[in-house]
Amino acid sequence: MIGDMAQALGTEPTELPCLDDLTAYAYVSGALPDDRRTTVIAHLDGCAACRELVDEVTLGRKLGESTTPLDFGTYRLGVLIAQGGMGRIYRAFDTSLQRDVALKVPRSASPAMMRRFEREAAITARLQHPGIVPIHAAGHTGNGTPFYVMRLIDGRTLDRIVEGSSAAARLALVEHVVAVADTMAYVHDKQIVHRDLKPNNVLIGEFGETLIIDWGLAKRLTDDRASLPVIGVGSALDTPATRDALRTRAGDVLGTPAFMSPEQAAGEAVDARSDVYAIGAVLRYVIAGRVTAPTKPLDTPEESARLVAVAHRATAVRKEDRFANAGELLLALRAAIAPPSVVVERRRWMPALLAAAIVAGITALLVWGLWPRSTAITAEQLTIVKLPSDALRPALSPSGKRVTYGSHNRLEVRELESGRRWTHTAWLAWPYTVEFPTDDIVMFAETLPAQNQQRMVRWNLLTDTTEQVGPAITRSWIGTFEDGSVWIRDVRARALVVSTPTGDIALPSKSERPVRMFAISSDHRRLVFVESTQDGEHLRLVEGMRGRTFTSPVVDITAVTFLDPSTVLYASGSLDGSRLYRMPIGDGAFGRPEAVFTTPPSGWLGTLSSSGGRLVGSWVSSSFESRLHERASHHDRLLDKVAVSAPLGWRDTVSYWAFNNATRQIERHSRMSNELPVITAINLSGDPANATQVDELLIITLRGGDGRQVFAFHPDEAKPRWTAARGALAFVRCAGDRVSPCVAGKRSASGNVVLVRIDPTTGVLGEQLSDEADIADAAIDAPGGSLAWVVDNSEVHEKPLQPGGRAQVVTPRRSGIQTIAYDPTGGILIGSNTAEGRSIVRLSDGRVDPVVNVGQTILSMVRPSPDGTQLLYRVRTLTSDLVEIRLP
């Protein structure tokens, strides 16, 4: 009958061996021509093994539903959460560590698929990067089925987010493409290619992190092509029509057609440039909102023209015309999204360094150039290194040839000329000071969480070994001074202490706030730190442990260092930009400061270090995003960055007020996704730092370079009902952020804050309610009977609002508290930023209960809905770029 059917179709049946995965996928998807489909049907009629393979591909059968359940040891298999051409991923529960994980198994039991799956696990396990999901464990079941276990990530794939997004919203998603390039720069440095980069293999986690998933087709470039498992090569069914019908195919021709390079589609050897093509295709997809042919022009806004040019080069038909690897592509992407006024150039003396940086997968870092007589930034820039988002306190070696910086869980050293890198895993102790006694020795303090102590560690770069120096300590180390070490007793200390063989010496200080900024000269004989007094901020210089001290007034200082033992450099500024000053040290006095460098208004210099004729610093910039947290389900939803720059508070249990940074207007949004926002008459000229509601008024505090300013608006009126003088008030908060009474944070001449009553309809201030202190935020409960506030970003104080009420501390000291609100269900909500993480917690009856861990961010404006079921909050993500500054 089969022969008769073939004759009627004008074809002859072809002898066909057992089906491979490619043929099975093509058969199931309907991609086979009729004559070849007939031949496959004939083969299936007499081959039980191939019928089983087709059945598995067709039904997507779960492994756990077989008559003999597979044994995954301590992992209890849950529901299927994802599947592709190579494998299936299940939610699982780790019974030994009591946590949810993701468990992956191969989709097919064919020997070639098994080998490829095991190779995928081995390659993925070698890749240790924040953009790659870490593997916890790997093994085999009793019947030999391989599996591996990963961190469980809750999130959405990039294609799901792009779908239906506006052009403006999609432009905001380009940052995820940049993160993909960043991750792949690291991967290419390891001589590995992914070969299946596409939007649905880019996962955006619940905290906004970008992860590349599905490494089933990854390949080491050093692998012998012939040694790889081959599935489908040479098959009569391996036709262009079949290839185009398949999304991801197992075999020597691998990948996803819409995002596959021409050489990969042709089955030729691939290198890093094939991944570059895929990233470029993903970029085009994000910009256009759909799959587009690489030769087709993109109809895009003018502001994306530079991105389109990058995408065009990345997707060039000839691989020789593309970027050499993801590191080069990343540099171009960073330049494309930089402010238009910034021009990126190469210095003549840096090509070797740039090449080494690319090979090492090092990403964006600005090196600002200075002309001898200039006091403003020049256009000349060079990208060398992108620090991790939590990188802290870079330091130079004595020769200036090496730079080191620490993050919360690791320490890195980079050689600036060659690009060589050393990495050491350690939980660095606050304030994250790192010191080079010599070019080959690094000193730092490491936290021992179990003992609640720290230890000094010496890291020898020549041998890449570490050793403990001295006994465990309980104070915070900041460097070597004379023949002793300088310490801060704790995070609230207002003075520094030097320990010597004969005892401790407290250095002179009049600071009324904790000491945060300091520097020690290269000869270890002078120390400078910032002290805050009622008269303002001062730089205090200490000459020798028992020597003289003198001060110089400074304003808004953000960083300080020694250019040499006789010259101090310090930076002053805010988000509106920084200015760098050089100040000589004379005979018992500071000389006159000279402004030598001014940065653009998009960030600030956060730390400085100078040695060997070089000056480096961390360039800190920030971006904001807003989230809606559902407390019952513990689900976080990222609000549209373009539509909601900052949530301001709740109008009722369903709708909330939000600031739209694109239009500069206040809008009323709904947590119901099918309801459109309502535009108010309110336009803002700055960024909201705090907000509250009272009856029909919105009282909003705006940030400013010369102090905050408070406005009271009615949503239907463009002009404010009243305005406080700039710098006079730090914030206003009302009961439950909805009704009277209200309090204001009144700023004193010393810069501290005192709480006072305020009439919300007129802005008139009344009775004082607290002592003067460094108060970051305050809140009143919904009934209006209790007032709570944050002191020194570390304690919550509370008191009854009735006359004579006494204040008490209601929480154990917790560093980094940024914001506070009363929980309608009881207790107090605080948002804090600590070395262990950023989180919102609930204080009640002496208990501290976690509400949501928000990741590596800084919190502001936590606002619960009136019924307490929802939480609005805003996060500020700080990024640090290492900058080298050439001084005249």
Side-chain angles (χ1 to χ4, degrees):
M1 180 177 177
I2 294 294
D4 294 340
M5 184 183 297
Q7 187 175 5
L9 294 172
T11 62
E12 293 294 330
T14 303
E15 288 294 325
L16 185 73
C18 283
L19 306 187
D20 54 31
D21 294 63
L22 173 64
T23 308
Y25 290 140
Y27 172 74
V28 170
S29 65
L32 297 181
D34 288 341
D35 57 337
R36 292 171 182 171
R37 183 174 181 84
T38 299
T39 306
V40 170
I41 292 173
H43 178 80
L44 291 174
D45 190 45
C47 183
C50 288
R51 287 200 302 272
E52 182 180 352
L53 174 60
V54 169
D55 180 55
E56 184 174 325
V57 172
T58 303
L59 300 179
R61 186 171 61 246
K62 295 182 183 179
L63 291 172
E65 293 176 354
S66 61
T67 55
T68 306
L70 298 179
D71 180 13
F72 293 100
T74 60
Y75 302 101
R76 189 168 65 241
L77 207 62
V79 299
L80 179 71
I81 56 178
Q83 62 180 325
M86 302 292 292
R88 297 189 181 95
I89 300 177
Y90 295 86
R91 181 182 288 269
F93 184 72
D94 183 349
T95 57
S96 63
L97 295 177
Q98 298 292 300
R99 62 178 178 177
D100 290 321
V101 294
L103 186 147
K104 186 169 183 177
V105 295
R107 183 164 182 165
S108 166
S110 70
M113 183 70 80
M114 293 288 197
R115 291 195 301 273
R116 187 176 292 279
F117 183 87
E118 291 173 341
R119 188 168 59 86
E120 170 191 352
I123 289 177
T124 310
R126 291 190 185 103
L127 300 176
Q128 303 292 318
H129 188 278
I132 300 171
V133 182
I135 290 182
H136 296 325
H140 291 79
T141 64
N143 71 349
T145 300
F147 69 91
Y148 63 85
V149 181
M150 304 171 285
R151 173 186 163 201
L152 181 65
I153 305 292
D154 289 323
R156 293 188 297 164
T157 54
L158 184 59
D159 58 326
R160 293 282 304 277
I161 298 175
V162 168
E163 183 180 354
S165 297
S166 65
R170 291 197 304 273
L171 278 181
L173 297 176
V174 169
E175 66 180 74
H176 297 299
V177 183
V178 176
V180 168
D182 189 2
T183 301
M184 290 309 302
Y186 161 82
V187 174
H188 288 168
D189 181 40
K190 300 294 184 183
Q191 296 297 295
I192 293 172
V193 289
H194 187 280
R195 298 199 292 179
D196 198 17
L197 292 169
K198 54 189 176 183
N200 57 318
N201 277 345
V202 177
L203 182 66
I204 312 304
E206 59 180 330
F207 303 126
E209 67 271 33
T210 306
L211 299 134
I212 300 175
I213 59 176
D214 199 348
W215 294 82
L217 306 185
K219 173 186 175 182
R220 291 187 296 269
L221 293 175
T222 54
D223 280 345
D224 181 6
R225 181 180 171 86
S227 70
L228 296 177
V230 177
I231 307 171
V233 176
S235 168
L237 302 173
D238 185 14
T239 66
T242 303
R243 294 192 204 106
D244 292 341
L246 305 178
R247 297 186 67 199
T248 299
R249 308 177 310 286
D252 207 35
V253 177
L254 301 160
T256 301
F259 301 92
M260 194 191 308
S261 66
E263 65 272 16
Q264 189 172 351
E268 300 172 0
V270 301
D271 57 21
R273 290 169 292 186
S274 288
D275 283 344
V276 166
Y277 183 98
I279 299 171
V282 171
L283 178 60
R284 290 181 62 94
Y285 175 79
V286 169
I287 294 172
R290 65 186 186 281
V291 175
T292 59
T295 56
K296 183 178 179 181
L298 290 176
D299 183 16
T300 57
E302 183 179 349
E303 57 266 29
S304 62
R306 290 189 293 173
L307 284 170
V308 171
V310 173
H312 180 71
R313 179 179 171 188
T315 54
V317 174
R318 282 170 28 93
K319 60 184 178 182
E320 294 81 4
D321 296 332
R322 299 176 210 148
F323 300 100
N325 51 37
E328 279 197 4
L329 172 58
L330 180 62
L331 298 181
L333 283 172
R334 291 288 184 188
I337 63 176
S341 60
V342 173
V343 179
V344 179
E345 298 180 0
R346 291 189 181 185
R347 290 181 181 155
R348 295 178 181 176
W349 52 276
M350 293 301 291
L353 175 58
L354 181 57
I358 293 169
V359 170
I362 301 172
T363 58
L365 177 119
L366 303 176
V367 176
W368 308 99
L370 281 175
W371 299 111
R373 291 175 294 174
S374 175
T375 59
I377 187 171
T378 71
E380 185 182 14
Q381 295 184 358
L382 176 67
T383 299
I384 302 177
V385 143
K386 172 82 170 79
L387 297 181
S389 59
D390 59 346
L392 300 157
R393 297 190 182 277
L396 285 165
S397 65
S399 69
K401 294 180 179 180
R402 291 173 178 170
V403 63
T404 182
Y405 55 86
S407 64
H408 294 301
N409 58 7
R410 74 177 183 274
L411 190 65
E412 290 203 9
V413 176
R414 308 264 182 150
E415 201 163 69
L416 291 175
E417 302 299 336
S418 68
R420 186 181 178 187
R421 180 174 61 184
W422 294 261
T423 301
H424 176 68
T425 301
W427 192 268
L428 259 65
W430 182 89
Y432 318 109
T433 302
V434 184
E435 186 177 276
F436 273 103
T438 71
D439 271 22
D440 298 317
I441 301 295
V442 177
M443 294 286 294
F444 61 93
E446 181 180 20
T447 295
L448 303 172
Q451 292 88 356
N452 194 27
Q453 290 180 324
Q454 303 171 12
R455 64 177 180 181
M456 292 297 303
V457 177
R458 179 189 288 113
W459 181 16
N460 189 323
L461 300 181
L462 293 176
T463 59
D464 198 15
T465 57
T466 59
E467 62 176 334
Q468 182 173 339
V469 181
I473 52 179
T474 58
R475 298 180 292 186
S476 298
W477 179 75
I478 69 169
T480 306
F481 185 52
E482 295 258 315
D483 58 350
S485 288
V486 186
W487 311 88
I488 303 179
R489 293 190 188 278
D490 56 54
V491 296
R492 301 184 66 191
R494 301 177 182 183
L496 305 178
V497 175
V498 181
S499 63
T500 70
T502 58
D504 289 354
I505 301 174
L507 299 180
S509 175
K510 296 181 180 179
S511 185
E512 298 177 356
R513 294 189 185 181
V515 174
R516 290 287 187 269
M517 282 169 284
F518 36 79
I520 300 173
S521 62
S522 57
D523 62 2
H524 302 284
R525 296 182 179 277
R526 282 176 166 166
L527 182 149
V528 66
F529 64 94
V530 178
E531 60 179 15
S532 299
T533 70
Q534 290 189 356
D535 298 328
E537 288 186 329
H538 296 79
L539 277 177
R540 178 175 288 273
L541 184 88
V542 182
E543 292 186 326
M545 287 181 291
R546 300 184 183 279
R548 57 187 175 178
T549 70
F550 45 93
T551 63
S552 176
V554 291
V555 179
D556 294 330
I557 190 168
T558 62
V560 63
T561 191
F562 282 89
L563 181 62
D564 55 56
S566 299
T567 310
V568 168
L569 285 168
Y570 67 90
S572 176
S574 64
L575 275 172
D576 296 324
S578 286
R579 178 167 289 186
L580 187 63
Y581 293 87
R582 176 169 51 192
M583 188 161 56
I585 302 171
D587 185 15
F590 283 110
R592 182 178 178 180
E594 173 193 6
V596 294
F597 183 72
T598 302
T599 69
S602 57
W604 67 94
L605 290 167
T607 56
L608 290 170
S609 178
S610 179
S611 188
R614 267 191 162 119
L615 173 64
V616 300
S618 61
W619 173 252
V620 183
S621 57
S622 66
S623 61
F624 295 91
E625 62 188 32
S626 303
R627 299 175 184 173
L628 176 64
H629 177 74
E630 298 175 357
R631 298 180 69 177
S633 64
H634 302 286
H635 175 70
D636 250 21
R637 177 160 62 92
L638 184 64
L639 302 179
D640 189 330
K641 281 188 177 182
V642 176
V644 182
S645 170
L648 306 179
W650 292 85
R651 180 178 180 270
D652 49 47
T653 57
V654 174
S655 61
Y656 56 88
W657 302 109
F659 172 58
N660 186 325
N661 188 57
T663 64
R664 316 300 298 175
Q665 288 183 303
I666 299 295
E667 301 172 348
R668 192 182 78 217
H669 287 251
S670 171
R671 61 185 178 92
M672 312 301 291
S673 59
N674 60 342
E675 294 187 19
L676 296 175
V678 176
I679 312 300
T680 72
I682 306 172
N683 280 269
L684 299 182
S685 59
D687 178 57
N690 214 312
T692 193
Q693 182 182 356
V694 54
D695 301 324
E696 291 299 315
L697 287 182
L698 268 173
I699 304 177
I700 303 169
T701 305
L702 299 184
R703 291 186 175 89
D706 52 353
R708 294 185 175 186
Q709 193 163 16
V710 176
F711 301 86
F713 287 96
H714 189 282
D716 297 331
E717 301 170 1
K719 292 184 178 181
R721 294 282 181 91
W722 58 264
T723 303
R726 185 176 296 278
L729 302 181
F731 54 81
V732 174
R733 297 292 297 275
C734 299
D737 288 306
R738 293 182 48 80
V739 295
S740 293
C742 303
V743 298
K746 180 183 177 183
R747 194 169 295 280
S748 68
S750 67
N752 284 330
V753 172
V754 60
L755 295 178
V756 298
R757 290 185 184 270
I758 186 171
D759 183 341
T761 61
T762 63
V764 175
L765 304 181
E767 170 195 6
Q768 182 171 321
L769 300 171
S770 76
D771 294 332
E772 186 176 318
D774 185 8
I775 299 177
D777 197 9
I780 304 176
D781 65 354
S786 296
L787 167 68
W789 62 97
V790 180
V791 175
D792 289 337
N793 295 110
S794 59
E795 289 182 347
V796 174
H797 294 207
E798 187 180 30
K799 65 175 289 187
L801 265 178
Q802 66 263 29
R806 299 186 61 183
Q808 60 178 340
V809 179
V810 297
T811 177
R813 198 176 75 208
R814 184 183 182 89
S815 63
I817 301 176
Q818 304 292 325
T819 183
I820 185 173
Y822 274 94
D823 188 347
T825 65
I828 298 173
L829 297 169
I830 63 171
S832 62
N833 169 6
T834 69
E836 290 75 23
R838 281 70 166 170
S839 60
I840 300 171
V841 301
R842 179 175 174 268
L843 309 176
S844 180
D845 299 326
R847 289 170 49 89
V848 180
D849 297 316
V851 176
V852 56
N853 178 13
V854 301
Q856 296 181 350
T857 52
I858 298 176
L859 296 165
S860 66
M861 284 191 283
V862 172
R863 295 293 184 265
S865 60
D867 59 5
T869 62
Q870 313 283 324
L871 277 179
L872 286 169
Y873 64 94
R874 190 187 195 197
V875 297
R876 182 176 68 188
T877 304
L878 297 179
T879 59
S880 299
D881 293 332
L882 185 66
V883 295
E884 182 178 355
I885 305 170
R886 288 192 303 125
L887 294 176

